Amino acid sequence: MINIAVLGYGTVGSGVVKVIDINGEVIARNTGQEVNVKYILDLRDFPGDPFEYKIVRDFETVINDPEIKVMCEVIGGVGKAYEFTRRALEKGISVCTSNKELVAKHGAELLALARENNCSYLFEASVGGGIPIIRPIMEALTAERIESVSGILNGTTNYILTKMEREGADFAEVLKEAQAKGYAENNPAADIEGYDPCRKIAILSSLMMGKNVDSEKIYTEGITKVTAADFAYAKEAGYTIKLLGQSKAQGDEVLAMVAPFMISKDHPLAMVNDVFNGIFVTGNTVGDTMYYGRGAGKLPTASAVVADVIECAKNVGQTIPCFWDQEQVALADISQVEWKYFLRAKASAKADVEAAFPGGRVIAVEGCEDEFGYITEAIVEKDFAEKYEALSDSILSRIRLA
Amino acid sequence: MINIAVLGYGTVGSGVVKVIDINGEVIARNTGQEVNVKYILDLRDFPGDPFEYKIVRDFETVINDPEIKVMCEVIGGVGKAYEFTRRALEKGISVCTSNKELVAKHGAELLALARENNCSYLFEASVGGGIPIIRPIMEALTAERIESVSGILNGTTNYILTKMEREGADFAEVLKEAQAKGYAENNPAADIEGYDPCRKIAILSSLMMGKNVDSEKIYTEGITKVTAADFAYAKEAGYTIKLLGQSKAQGDEVLAMVAPFMISKDHPLAMVNDVFNGIFVTGNTVGDTMYYGRGAGKLPTASAVVADVIECAKNVGQTIPCFWDQEQVALADISQVEWKYFLRAKASAKADVEAAFPGGRVIAVEGCEDEFGYITEAIVEKDFAEKYEALSDSILSRIRLA
């Protein structure tokens, strides 16, 4: 039997306890031993909870119990979570987490600490919820030089965009509904401004490069400016709009960004709807691979945490290797990248737009005669920005094409 | 440095040598040691090949060299491949393979042999080519009770069906073209009759159940009867047609089959086109996950074999666990399963079809006035078969709906 502690009894924490409870038999088979949740650390009361008797309030109880071999850090944030993780790893206790903020910010440092203390720091659940993505990158694609990673990394925004597309509704309206249903937080900035997918693409980029990619340096644009009208034009042109995290190895640099993109309806990511996530990983010999599943949610995320617990249980006393050094990777300058752009502009500016971006394609949508859609030829971001600036009074939207 | 031997210098074998050659540096980083191909076993001559000097003709040279720790069996078939694999495992040499025929037929036995001799038998490349699918099932989803596995498991037939859909072409015509391009074999039965995906679903089913699922007992139907007309009706009704391998745990039994299915254009598998494969794995807490990538091809398949080699290199002297016992799983009776069916029938039989399958939906396609399409309500396979039998002179096609 292996004893573990769950730090934080919120959504994911209670999911971890539940997954271990309902799948105990399968886990025992796969681990060769039973996994026992000895402590649940939380400051709150949970009267009537079936696992109430396991709840402790003091981290010292947990850290000083030599029976504890693995901790699940599902507190979130970079305060107590960071402190507890460091203290556990320093004592040789492995830590499994879903905390993307902490992994993005201190992942390389915590991995080094785990190596020094012959234990492991695992974070499968920090990207893509229940989708196995960290492990395939680390193991199954281990014979590969990974060239790029991109995808739909945030379930809340994908839910909002899917609903906007299907119902022709505007952003604010759908956000309100998503908040009412609990799919979006009361303070939704982390999702809708793209901070959450930014942390995730930073983690994936770091694994791809084997070195640290600073999430704070990644160009990040959310979905707040995407409109129902944009979707109408996208549909007319055979596209949809998705919030993508993208990362591409360019020699020693990495080109990483988060932004809404128009993608062809034929692209496999166009099928990734609602709260689902889909992540493309391209290797130099395997080509494109994609991983799809529920990117969030109590049980899917908890399932990924528990898979990591099992991995730690099988490797007590040793470090599961993860190549993510503390050395910083330089970020490539996105102003030098070439894209096609979708523009929506006032009808009165049609001649100006066509002159500024020659060779593009006009898209007309019925009932929108006072404006028009336009897809430019490929143009360097910097050149586009200059021309866009000059026309900004007439341009209503601009979205890159992936 | 770890020395390996590649048995068979055909498409996959030469791919393995190439992947190790071009990704040597990444592999050394991930393995902590260099992987060296010491021997390539093949009876043929390869004059001028850059690795000609590594080619040996006698298996005894390979098996008697104590430096060889891992063999890649990429010969195919169940003759020499089986013999060499047994002899290697008996000597404690790990074996990695892409040979689905051998894995489906003798997987459980070879895994047991590996366990007895403290080595490993790995077969990531046997299903889904370069897509990591065996490892996610074995590891990342290890906290899960896997409830079902289904997907597009054969690249050749998916290429043919995609072309039929896009070009409105008939099966025989597209097959000929695929053969000319080398996408289909001269003897295409293994693909078009569904034997290849049958072996793959047997392997996946065995891993899901932890026991042996006999591929020869799996109901298997190929794509030879699918017509251009079927695609026209499918399109009209918002569907496409895919050859699916399906497997579902039902208590101690497994419901497994391979057949063409109509699937909604909104289903993520509808996006899996050309030679790509897509595999859905549903777990009791994680829900649906999907894995997508090139299901065949020299380098993608080789990449998966090399990933297994790396895993073996990291675990010399021990067995990488795989729960697939030799005990046989009973197959559920598919005649008791309920599906909706698509029918294409002569216009003269419309009243009879509607009477036999009440409550269905008629689909009309322009230019096909002498026939009609029909989607029945859900009906048990056995009941359907009886009614179908009575109407068989008038029914031109019948395809299940997934």
Side-chain angles (χ1 to χ4, degrees):
Chain A
M1 190 168 80
I2 185 151
N3 285 294
I4 73 163
V6 176
L7 313 183
Y9 202 42
T11 306
V12 180
S14 59
V16 166
V17 175
K18 187 165 180 185
V19 168
I20 292 172
D21 187 43
I22 62 183
N23 282 349
E25 201 185 309
V26 183
I27 293 168
R29 186 192 78 169
N30 290 341
T31 326
Q33 56 188 328
E34 208 185 307
V35 172
N36 177 50
V37 177
K38 188 165 179 184
Y39 303 113
I40 299 166
L41 181 76
D42 206 295
L43 292 175
R44 295 168 289 181
D45 286 322
F46 296 90
D49 185 283
F51 302 102
E52 197 182 358
Y53 65 99
K54 298 190 175 190
I55 292 171
V56 293
R57 288 191 164 65
D58 188 359
F59 181 67
E60 304 308 320
T61 312
V62 180
I63 191 87
N64 291 319
D65 184 336
E67 281 189 359
I68 295 297
K69 303 295 181 208
V70 183
M71 291 190 196
C72 302
E73 183 276 291
V74 284
I75 301 167
V78 292
K80 284 287 167 202
Y82 178 50
E83 180 196 330
F84 294 168
T85 300
R86 279 200 65 97
R87 287 192 56 200
L89 295 175
E90 278 164 1
K91 264 201 123 170
I93 299 167
S94 291
V95 177
C96 307
T97 190
S98 59
N99 185 342
K100 52 226 150 208
E101 195 179 347
L102 183 57
V103 176
K105 193 155 183 152
H106 296 292
E109 170 203 326
L110 294 169
L111 283 163
L113 192 60
R115 269 194 300 275
E116 282 162 27
N117 294 284
N118 301 315
C119 59
S120 300
Y121 184 53
L122 299 186
F123 44 87
E124 179 62 72
S126 67
V127 181
I131 310 170
I133 177 67
I134 306 291
R135 212 177 305 267
I137 290 183
M138 295 311 297
E139 290 183 6
L141 299 177
T142 200
E144 288 292 309
R145 192 177 296 281
I146 295 173
E147 296 174 337
S148 67
V149 180
S150 69
I152 296 166
L153 297 168
N154 180 273
T156 303
T157 47
N158 203 44
Y159 172 84
I160 292 172
L161 292 175
T162 304
K163 250 187 126 57
M164 286 176 70
E165 179 179 36
R166 289 190 184 148
E167 299 173 7
D170 251 318
F171 172 76
E173 186 185 326
V174 178
L175 172 62
K176 224 178 202 170
E177 201 190 314
Q179 285 174 316
K181 284 191 176 164
Y183 291 163
E185 313 261 346
N186 285 332
N187 178 357
D191 295 319
I192 65 175
E193 299 293 357
Y195 309 145
D196 171 87
C198 169
R199 285 169 190 144
K200 291 168 177 168
I201 201 71
I203 295 170
L204 295 173
S205 303
S206 299
L207 293 172
M208 174 173 78
M209 304 300 288
K211 295 174 188 164
N212 202 53
V213 176
D214 183 349
S215 67
E216 288 173 20
K217 290 187 183 153
I218 294 176
Y219 175 87
T220 302
E221 195 181 312
I223 62 165
T224 55
K225 290 181 191 155
V226 179
T227 65
D230 296 333
F231 272 106
Y233 285 95
K235 190 179 175 185
E236 183 63 36
Y239 290 86
T240 186
I241 303 166
K242 295 291 185 188
L243 180 65
L244 300 185
Q246 294 205 324
S247 185
K248 202 174 163 190
Q250 296 189 331
D252 288 340
E253 294 190 334
V254 67
L255 176 70
M257 68 186 294
V258 173
F261 281 88
M262 277 208 184
I263 61 173
S264 162
K265 271 290 199 183
D266 291 331
H267 193 286
L269 287 176
M271 269 297 176
V272 178
N273 287 318
D274 301 312
V275 297
F276 281 83
N277 284 193
I279 304 157
F280 254 82
V281 180
T282 305
N284 70 332
T285 64
V286 79
D288 288 340
T289 59
M290 187 178 82
Y291 306 83
Y292 166 95
R294 286 179 189 279
K298 174 175 168 156
L299 291 184
T301 306
S303 165
V305 175
V306 178
D308 278 350
V309 170
I310 292 174
E311 205 53 29
C312 289
K314 290 198 278 190
N315 290 280
V316 171
Q318 54 185 319
T319 304
I320 297 161
C322 179
F323 299 96
W324 176 356
D325 294 341
Q326 295 187 64
E327 193 187 326
Q328 296 292 323
V329 180
L331 276 98
D333 179 2
I334 81 154
S335 74
Q336 298 306 320
V337 182
E338 223 183 51
W339 322 89
K340 290 184 177 186
Y341 279 84
F342 162 77
L343 297 174
R344 195 162 56 81
K346 293 179 187 162
S348 56
K350 198 158 173 230
D352 293 340
V353 168
E354 289 183 313
F357 305 101
R361 168 185 169 203
V362 174
I363 306 152
V365 164
E366 229 173 288
C368 300
E369 277 70 31
D370 55 345
E371 55 176 65
F372 70 105
Y374 192 75
I375 294 177
T376 71
E377 289 287 277
I379 176 169
V380 171
E381 173 113 2
K382 189 167 165 280
D383 297 343
F384 174 85
E386 278 170 23
K387 295 183 176 189
Y388 172 80
E389 187 58 36
L391 289 163
S392 62
D393 287 347
S394 311
I395 296 181
L396 307 164
S397 296
R398 69 106 182 75
I399 300 175
R400 296 172 188 86
L401 266 69
Chain B
M1 189 167 79
I2 185 152
N3 285 293
I4 73 164
V6 176
L7 314 183
Y9 202 42
T11 306
V12 181
S14 58
V16 166
V17 175
K18 188 165 180 183
V19 168
I20 291 172
D21 187 43
I22 61 183
N23 283 349
E25 200 185 309
V26 184
I27 293 167
R29 186 192 77 168
N30 290 341
T31 325
Q33 56 188 326
E34 207 185 308
V35 173
N36 176 50
V37 177
K38 187 165 180 185
Y39 302 113
I40 299 165
L41 181 76
D42 206 295
L43 293 174
R44 295 168 289 180
D45 286 322
F46 296 89
D49 185 282
F51 301 101
E52 196 182 358
Y53 65 100
K54 297 190 174 190
I55 293 172
V56 293
R57 290 192 162 64
D58 189 359
F59 181 67
E60 304 309 321
T61 311
V62 180
I63 190 88
N64 291 320
D65 184 335
E67 282 189 357
I68 296 296
K69 302 295 180 208
V70 183
M71 291 190 195
C72 302
E73 184 276 290
V74 283
I75 300 167
V78 292
K80 285 287 168 201
Y82 179 48
E83 181 196 328
F84 293 167
T85 300
R86 280 200 63 98
R87 289 193 54 200
L89 296 175
E90 280 164 0
K91 266 200 122 168
I93 299 167
S94 291
V95 177
C96 307
T97 190
S98 60
N99 185 341
K100 52 226 150 206
E101 194 179 348
L102 184 58
V103 176
K105 195 158 181 147
H106 297 291
E109 170 204 326
L110 294 169
L111 283 163
L113 192 59
R115 270 193 300 275
E116 283 162 27
N117 294 284
N118 302 315
C119 59
S120 299
Y121 184 53
L122 299 186
F123 43 88
E124 178 62 72
S126 67
V127 181
I131 310 170
I133 178 67
I134 305 291
R135 210 176 305 266
I137 290 183
M138 296 309 299
E139 290 183 7
L141 299 177
T142 201
E144 287 292 307
R145 193 176 296 281
I146 295 173
E147 296 174 338
S148 67
V149 179
S150 69
I152 295 166
L153 297 168
N154 180 273
T156 303
T157 47
N158 203 43
Y159 172 83
I160 292 172
L161 293 174
T162 304
K163 251 188 127 58
M164 286 175 70
E165 180 180 35
R166 287 189 184 150
E167 298 173 7
D170 252 318
F171 172 75
E173 187 185 325
V174 178
L175 172 61
K176 223 176 201 172
E177 201 189 314
Q179 285 173 317
K181 283 190 176 167
Y183 292 162
E185 313 261 346
N186 286 332
N187 179 356
D191 294 319
I192 64 174
E193 299 293 355
Y195 309 144
D196 171 87
C198 169
R199 285 168 190 145
K200 291 167 176 167
I201 201 71
I203 294 169
L204 295 174
S205 302
S206 298
L207 292 172
M208 174 173 76
M209 303 301 288
K211 295 174 188 165
N212 203 54
V213 176
D214 184 349
S215 68
E216 288 172 19
K217 290 186 183 153
I218 294 176
Y219 174 87
T220 301
E221 197 181 311
I223 62 163
T224 55
K225 290 179 191 157
V226 178
T227 65
D230 295 333
F231 272 107
Y233 285 95
K235 189 179 175 186
E236 183 63 36
Y239 289 86
T240 186
I241 303 167
K242 295 290 187 187
L243 181 65
L244 300 185
Q246 294 205 324
S247 185
K248 203 175 162 188
Q250 296 190 330
D252 289 339
E253 293 191 332
V254 67
L255 176 71
M257 67 187 295
V258 173
F261 280 88
M262 276 206 186
I263 61 173
S264 162
K265 271 291 199 183
D266 291 332
H267 193 286
L269 287 176
M271 269 298 176
V272 179
N273 287 317
D274 301 313
V275 299
F276 280 84
N277 283 193
I279 304 157
F280 254 82
V281 179
T282 305
N284 70 333
T285 64
V286 79
D288 288 339
T289 58
M290 186 177 84
Y291 306 83
Y292 166 94
R294 286 178 190 278
K298 173 173 167 157
L299 291 184
T301 307
S303 165
V305 174
V306 177
D308 278 351
V309 169
I310 292 172
E311 206 53 30
C312 289
K314 289 198 277 190
N315 290 280
V316 170
Q318 54 186 321
T319 304
I320 297 162
C322 179
F323 300 94
W324 176 355
D325 294 341
Q326 295 187 63
E327 193 187 326
Q328 296 291 323
V329 180
L331 277 98
D333 180 2
I334 81 155
S335 74
Q336 299 305 320
V337 181
E338 222 183 52
W339 322 90
K340 289 185 178 185
Y341 279 85
F342 162 76
L343 297 175
R344 195 162 55 82
K346 292 178 187 163
S348 56
K350 198 160 175 229
D352 293 340
V353 167
E354 288 184 312
F357 305 102
R361 168 184 169 204
V362 174
I363 305 151
V365 164
E366 229 173 290
C368 301
E369 278 69 31
D370 54 345
E371 55 176 64
F372 71 105
Y374 192 76
I375 293 175
T376 71
E377 289 286 276
I379 176 170
V380 171
E381 173 115 2
K382 189 166 164 281
D383 298 343
F384 174 85
E386 277 170 24
K387 295 184 175 188
Y388 173 78
E389 187 59 36
L391 289 163
S392 62
D393 287 347
S394 309
I395 296 181
L396 306 165
S397 294
R398 69 107 183 76
I399 299 174
R400 295 173 188 87
L401 266 70

